[in-house]
Amino acid sequence: MALLTAEQIGAAADRRYEDVPVPEWGGEVRIQSMSGTDRNSHQAETVILGPNGRPKGVELREQYARLLARCIVDEQGRRLFVTDKQIKALGEKDAGVLERLAKIAKRVNGLGEEAVEAAAGKSEAPPTGSSTTG
């Protein structure tokens, strides 16, 4: 296989999405995977750092709205919720709907509970040494 050029990488359509019915809102939303930049920003907003600069917890305020604002897009992949006012309005929607959509957004983005805990520095250290299983 040939090595890719910067132009080929830039032109690759690598963002995944899923169209999700939201009967409570009367239609569907498109949940798209975040760009690397958006994911880094989301993680920076989510992880609470202690005075020593090490992660000490996770910011839960408006967590669903902040995540979904980066993932709900139109047919061209443009975010629907960009301003703080729009994100706050999204956060005021039904909690059950937001939670359901956030679970899908986490799945589409590979953001399971393990990933959140690892970002906050709460995951267990991987086992060391050799395995005794065959």
Side-chain angles (χ1 to χ4, degrees), residues 30-50:
R30 176 164 290 177
I31 296 179
Q32 178 175 268
S33 61
M34 290 182 272
S35 69
T37 302
D38 276 344
R39 184 170 173 158
N40 289 343
S41 294
H42 175 69
Q43 289 175 328
E45 287 179 353
T46 303
V47 175
I48 300 170
L49 299 176

Side-chain angles (χ1 to χ4, degrees), residues 16 23 25 31 50 57 64 69 82 91 109 116 129 131:
R16 298 170 312 285
W25 296 349
I31 296 179
Y64 295 148
V82 179
N109 284 282
V116 172
S131 172

Side-chain angles (χ1 to χ4, degrees), residues 63-64 67 101-113:
Q63 65 173 320
Y64 295 148
L67 172 63
L101 295 175
K103 285 180 182 179
I104 295 167
K106 287 178 183 180
R107 179 176 43 76
V108 167
N109 284 282
L111 292 174
E113 291 304 317

Side-chain angles (χ1 to χ4, degrees), residues 59-116:
E59 175 60 65
L60 298 177
R61 283 181 291 216
E62 297 181 349
Q63 65 173 320
Y64 295 148
R66 288 185 288 110
L67 172 63
L68 291 170
R70 286 189 165 88
C71 299
I72 296 177
V73 298
D74 65 14
E75 290 179 349
Q76 287 73 43
R78 294 182 301 246
R79 290 173 48 181
L80 298 182
F81 302 94
V82 179
T83 68
D84 289 341
K85 184 176 180 180
Q86 291 171 325
I87 295 168
K88 182 170 177 44
L90 177 61
E92 292 173 358
K93 301 307 291 177
D94 181 86
V97 174
L98 295 177
E99 182 174 16
R100 186 173 76 236
L101 295 175
K103 285 180 182 179
I104 295 167
K106 287 178 183 180
R107 179 176 43 76
V108 167
N109 284 282
L111 292 174
E113 291 304 317
E114 300 82 22
V116 172

